[in-house]
């Protein structure tokens, strides 16, 4: 087993280390979601924490890590008698992004369950993580149904496996830690709320601290065991402090004054529901225990708010998590002095909001992992020249009509187009390819029934063989790649007009977020086109690029279409199952170069030849209309809609599916 990087050797990242330690002291806090750019010690700190957790007592031979002092009465390996057991280190279990449902919750042997009535159960990762850490790297890329199962288990402390009337339950209590890079897509707000604490991390911009990060990382890579040995005393001290804080936690008193501050803070920031209040109360209590105190102070409430509230204040997908600290201080000051008197802050254990410090230089936003090189520059618009105007602000977004890709796909789960999926309504049955995941009971019985006499059936039970099992085929919805091709030329440059266009694209981006799509953005103006945003799951990034999009110059429509066609070609190699929907936002004009209209027509026919679904959002305005956008839609073999028709409440209406026109 490899030697993990020492937790106390992580440079900086005080909020990250503190949030992890508070959950180690009190798992009831509800876990941690770590948001930040790549190379900021997210994974390093989580893996390092597992070494600090105290050992756990387990029932010998129990695959579900039952506590011998209080064994789970519903344990599939039970019943167990209370008594002494063995000790083992706390586990850290990693959930891969591509894991199956069976790998997460466990698998039930359906064949034995039907034929013998035996609950033969193979535990999953939720059982392995019981009484330890469950770590999900890139949790924002995890399939929605897996996230739902994961968070349900975390909330209930148990995992349930239900298959055709056969049920298995086992305890599953763990410290849930997720990491994510917001550039790759956001979690749904309701899922964000299920994480107790959230921490934003970023690499330090202080040269001295970055030097120390690199120095420690190189030393660790050269000799992991020797580097860990040099930090053994600090690691041991933190481990002992965790144990002491756990023992002190039941004695910590959360007085009425602190409770009023918590309630007033959550009300002032208008967070939804009561989960924030409960998480803040548990976090403040854990902070006091970590500091060695039995009373919760105002500073504990303040630190708890900074960790528990920012991610709960998002009102729409394009809002960045954050908290107004001045408003927080005003609220705490207004409700201070009510209820209990605070003990002496200079007494034992003061400064509960500080994690164990390392010997290296400290500054906000440091990292304990070697920084990764990245390109962080913003794309510069091509074709800048005469007539360029500053970026217009987008108008207010609106709810759009549903645009979907025709036919039946096999892409990633989402909410846009029809697809064959693991979840959805049952449409038929087939022989399983690999492990059986969704049994079609009627089809299985129908396949086994003709062979009962030949198999020697004498009793009431049905004799089922593996060849009889049938997998249910289901139809649900998939997410697509929505590629926006936006005309930013001079013909679109009227500020009121461009504001409406940006508002429409922003509305479609919001719709893409809600339907779990990937998005990309190609713009064209001047003399060329550019990929303003390669295909990504982050609609936030697309909205930010759209906001700063300048306009002006000629209209190289053909260049925009050709660049979009190349983007789709490359993306098809990366993700062949994900179908594309191309949304061209233009008035249909084409200028610049020889025969621009004919060239644009030839470029559009490439999409039609590849069978790519497309829609043209016609931005032409004025009393006299040339109908060029409609002609472009015909070349694309797609549909043209006006900005007004794009609205969900438009009386003109828009067909839900983007239908290809008959050849």
């Amino acid at each position: 087993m490899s030697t993990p990087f020492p937790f106390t050797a992580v440079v900086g990242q005080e909020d990250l280390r503190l949030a992890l330690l508070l959950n180690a002291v009190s798992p009831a806090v509800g876990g941690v979601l770590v948001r930040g750019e790549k190379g900021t010690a997210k994974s390093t700190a989580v893996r390092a924490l597992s070494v600090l957790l105290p050992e756990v007592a387990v029932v010998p031979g129990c695959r579900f890590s039952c506590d011998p002092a209080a064994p789970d009465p519903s344990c599939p390996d039970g019943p167990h008698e209370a008594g002494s057991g063995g000790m083992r280190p706390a586990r850290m279990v990693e959930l891969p992004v591509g894991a199956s449902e069976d790998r997460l919750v466990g698998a039930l042997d359906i064949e034995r369950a039907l034929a013998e009535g035996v609950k033969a159960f193979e535990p999953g990762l939720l059982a392995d993580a019981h009484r330890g850490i469950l770590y999900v790297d890139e949790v924002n890329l995890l399939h929605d149904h897996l996230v739902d199962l994961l968070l349900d288990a975390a909330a209930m402390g148990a995992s349930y496996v239900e298959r055709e009337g056969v049920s298995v339950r086992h305890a599953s209590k763990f410290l849930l830690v997720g990491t994510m890079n917001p550039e790759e897509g956001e979690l749904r707000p309701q899922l964000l709320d299920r994480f107790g604490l959230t921490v934003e991390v970023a690499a330090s911009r202080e040269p001295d601290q970055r030097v120390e990060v690199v120095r420690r990382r190189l030393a660790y890579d050269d000799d992991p065991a020797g580097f860990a040995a040099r930090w053994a005393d600090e690691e041991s001290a933190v481990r002992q402090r965790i144990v002491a804080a756990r023992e002190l936690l039941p004695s910590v008193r959360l007085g009425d004054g602190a409770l009023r501050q918590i309630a007033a803070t959550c009300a002032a920031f208008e967070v939804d529901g009561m989960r924030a209040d409960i998480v803040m109360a548990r976090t403040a209590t854990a902070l006091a225990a970590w500091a060695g105190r039995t009373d919760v102070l105002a500073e504990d409430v303040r630190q708890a708010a900074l960790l528990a509230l920012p991610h709960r204040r998002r009102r729409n997908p394009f809002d960045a998590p954050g908290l107004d600290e001045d408003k927080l201080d005003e609220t705490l000051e207004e409700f201070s002095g009510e209820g209990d008197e605070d003990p002496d802050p200079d007494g034992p254990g003061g400064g509960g909001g500080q994690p164990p410090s390392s010997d290296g230089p400290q500054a906000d936003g440091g990292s304990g992992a070697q920084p990764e090189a990245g390109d962080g520059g913003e794309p510069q618009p091509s074709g800048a020249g005469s007539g360029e105007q500053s970026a217009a602000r987008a108008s207010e977004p609106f709810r759009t009509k549903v645009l979907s890709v025709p036919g039946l796909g096999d892409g990633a789960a989402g909410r846009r187009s029809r697809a064959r999926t693991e979840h959805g309504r049952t449409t038929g049955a087939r022989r399983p390819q690999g492990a059986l995941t969704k049994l079609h009971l009627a089809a299985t019985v129908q396949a086994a029934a003709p062979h009962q006499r030949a198999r020697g059936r004498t009793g009431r039970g049905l004799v089922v063989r593996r060849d009889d099992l049938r997998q249910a085929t289901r139809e649900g919805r998939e997410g697509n790649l929505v590629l926006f091709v936006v005309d930013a030329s001079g013909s679109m440059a009227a500020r009121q007009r461009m504001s409406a266009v940006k508002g429409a694209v922003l509305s479609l981006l919001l719709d893409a977020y809600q339907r779990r799509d990937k998005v990309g953005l190609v713009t064209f103006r001047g003399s060329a086109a550019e990929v303003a945003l390669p295909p990504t799951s982050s609609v936030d990034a697309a909205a930010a690029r759209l906001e700063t999009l300048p306009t002006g110059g000629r209209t190289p429509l053909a260049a925009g279409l050709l660049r979009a066609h190349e983007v789709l070609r490359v993306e098809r190699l990366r993700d062949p199952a994900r179908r594309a929907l191309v949304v061209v936002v233009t008035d249909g004009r084409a200028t610049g170069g020889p025969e621009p209209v004919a060239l644009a027509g030839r470029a559009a026919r490439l999409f039609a030849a590849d069978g790519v679904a497309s829609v043209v959002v016609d931005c032409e305005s004025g009393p006299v209309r040339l109908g060029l956008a409609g002609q472009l839609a015909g070349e694309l073999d797609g549909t043209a809609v006006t900005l007004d028709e794009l609205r969900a409440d438009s009386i003109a209406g828009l067909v839900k599916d983007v239908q290809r026109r008959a050849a």
Side-chain angles (χ1 to χ4, degrees):
M1 181 177 178
S2 60
T3 303
F5 193 93
F7 188 85
T8 51
V10 174
V11 178
Q13 305 294 29
E14 285 84 359
D15 285 347
L16 169 58
R17 293 187 291 139
L18 178 62
L20 292 172
L21 289 169
L22 293 177
N23 275 271
V25 171
S26 176
V29 166
V32 186
L33 177 64
V34 187
R35 299 163 45 93
E37 59 196 21
K38 54 187 177 293
T40 49
K42 300 188 298 291
S43 301
T44 299
V46 176
R47 293 189 175 96
L49 178 69
S50 62
V51 181
L52 299 178
L53 296 182
E55 291 187 333
V56 295
V58 296
V59 173
C62 178
R63 298 174 297 166
F64 300 87
S65 303
C66 280
D67 185 350
D72 179 10
S74 302
C75 177
D77 284 355
H80 305 300
E81 294 185 2
S84 60
M87 303 294 293
R88 66 159 175 80
R91 294 174 180 159
M92 191 197 76
V93 176
E94 294 194 44
L95 173 61
V97 169
S100 65
E101 183 177 332
D102 282 349
R103 184 71 186 99
L104 177 62
V105 301
L108 193 65
D109 192 327
I110 298 295
E111 183 179 3
R112 292 189 63 190
L114 289 176
E116 305 172 29
V118 176
K119 294 182 181 179
F121 182 69
E122 184 66 28
L125 295 177
L126 290 179
D128 293 341
H130 181 43
R131 305 174 68 197
I133 299 174
L134 182 60
Y135 173 50
V136 189
D137 193 15
E138 306 295 351
V139 65
N140 51 324
L141 303 183
L142 201 63
H143 286 172
D144 284 350
H145 71 283
L146 292 183
V147 175
D148 292 336
L149 290 170
L150 181 66
L151 295 178
D152 284 344
M156 296 186 296
S159 174
Y160 294 84
V161 181
E162 304 280 351
R163 296 285 167 83
E164 303 297 339
V166 182
S167 174
V168 173
R169 174 208 172 276
H170 64 83
S172 183
K173 298 180 180 179
F174 46 82
L175 194 170
L176 176 62
V177 182
T179 59
M180 60 175 283
N181 184 346
E183 294 180 356
E184 297 173 343
E186 282 285 358
L187 276 176
R188 290 175 285 166
Q190 59 268 40
L191 298 183
L192 278 173
D193 183 60
R194 299 291 288 272
F195 282 92
L197 309 179
T198 295
V199 178
E200 296 278 343
V201 295
S204 172
R205 298 298 183 255
E206 293 293 331
D208 289 343
Q209 191 171 69
R210 296 177 74 95
V211 166
E212 187 63 20
V213 169
V214 175
R215 181 181 291 119
R216 293 188 189 185
R217 187 71 205 190
L218 294 179
Y220 169 77
D221 290 340
D222 290 340
D223 183 10
F227 183 82
R230 293 196 292 274
W231 291 87
D233 291 342
E234 288 82 355
E235 294 282 285
S236 178
V238 174
R239 189 178 297 109
Q240 293 173 10
R241 189 174 175 185
I242 292 174
V243 173
R246 284 185 173 185
E247 294 174 352
L248 183 61
L249 187 64
S251 303
V252 175
R253 186 174 65 96
L254 183 64
D256 289 343
L259 273 174
R260 284 185 62 82
Q261 286 185 318
I262 290 171
T265 300
C266 292
F269 285 102
E270 300 179 348
V271 296
D272 296 331
M274 294 299 298
R275 184 175 285 119
D277 304 63
I278 296 170
V279 170
M280 273 190 65
R282 289 171 174 167
T283 304
T285 303
L287 279 162
W290 176 249
R293 289 187 268 98
T294 56
D295 287 280
V296 174
L297 307 182
E299 66 190 62
D300 300 324
V301 176
R302 185 182 193 278
Q303 183 66 62
L306 292 174
L307 293 173
L309 296 187
H311 61 296
R312 293 185 165 89
R313 297 204 64 242
R314 299 187 75 194
R315 286 295 181 266
N316 68 66
F318 303 134
D319 288 342
L323 204 67
D324 185 341
E325 295 193 31
D326 291 336
K327 182 178 180 180
L328 172 61
D329 291 334
E330 291 174 4
T331 303
L332 294 176
E333 179 66 26
E334 180 182 352
F335 288 86
S336 65
E338 299 186 17
D340 308 307
E341 294 184 2
D342 289 342
D344 181 6
D346 297 326
Q354 295 297 325
S357 61
S358 59
D359 294 332
Q362 299 292 319
D364 292 340
S367 165
Q370 184 172 347
E372 298 179 24
D375 160 352
E378 294 290 326
Q380 297 299 318
S382 59
S386 61
E388 178 175 318
Q389 299 185 13
S390 60
R393 295 188 62 84
S395 62
E396 192 68 22
F398 52 84
R399 188 168 63 90
T400 66
K401 290 287 187 179
V402 180
L403 306 176
S404 62
V405 179
L408 197 62
D410 294 285
R415 296 184 177 181
R416 183 170 296 278
S417 305
R418 295 174 54 223
R420 289 175 286 267
T421 60
E422 288 294 319
H423 299 269
R425 64 184 182 89
T426 301
T427 57
R430 61 174 174 81
R431 290 182 181 273
Q433 299 172 348
L436 179 72
T437 55
K438 298 293 181 183
L439 177 73
H440 194 297
L441 184 58
T444 298
V445 172
Q446 187 176 8
H451 309 291
Q452 296 305 294
R453 179 173 296 181
R455 293 173 182 174
R457 173 186 169 185
T458 57
R460 298 179 62 183
L462 188 69
V463 181
V464 179
R465 302 284 170 80
R466 184 162 296 276
D467 289 344
D468 301 327
L469 299 179
R470 294 295 182 269
Q471 174 86 21
T473 57
R474 302 193 175 191
E475 182 178 311
R477 293 279 168 176
E478 67 177 359
N480 298 117
L481 166 60
V482 182
L483 182 61
F484 294 94
V485 186
V486 180
D487 184 348
S489 66
S491 65
M492 302 279 289
R495 298 198 61 82
Q496 186 175 2
R497 184 181 180 191
M498 196 62 196
S499 177
V501 168
K502 285 189 175 183
V505 177
L506 192 64
S507 303
L508 290 168
L509 284 172
L510 180 60
D511 182 68
Y513 168 85
Q514 295 167 339
R515 300 184 187 282
R516 313 293 182 264
D517 294 317
K518 292 180 70 174
V519 296
L521 179 62
V522 173
T523 64
F524 57 93
R525 67 187 184 92
S527 59
E530 65 169 349
V531 181
L533 184 72
T536 175
S537 297
S538 176
V539 296
D540 299 51
R545 301 291 170 86
L546 179 70
E547 189 67 24
T548 59
L549 179 66
T551 58
R554 296 192 177 189
T555 311
L557 177 57
L561 294 174
L562 291 173
R563 180 61 64 92
H565 188 267
E566 176 63 16
V567 169
L568 292 184
R569 185 190 68 80
V570 174
E571 191 64 19
R572 198 175 294 121
L573 296 175
R574 294 174 178 168
D575 190 358
R578 188 180 292 269
R579 297 186 296 165
L581 172 64
V582 175
V583 179
V584 185
V585 185
T586 182
D587 57 9
R589 289 181 173 85
T591 60
E595 299 184 344
V597 176
L599 188 59
R602 289 197 295 271
R605 287 191 288 273
L606 293 176
F607 291 87
D610 290 343
V612 178
S614 59
V615 59
V616 178
V617 179
D618 185 357
C619 302
E620 192 174 25
S621 60
V624 179
R625 304 199 177 205
L626 302 179
L628 297 177
Q631 296 177 24
L632 176 63
E635 299 284 5
L636 288 166
D637 203 6
T639 301
V641 298
T642 65
L643 289 174
D644 289 337
E645 290 172 339
L646 196 59
R647 294 179 177 271
D649 55 358
S650 169
I651 59 174
L654 173 66
V655 179
K656 287 187 175 182
D657 290 339
V658 181
Q659 302 289 348
R660 296 190 184 94
R661 298 197 318 174

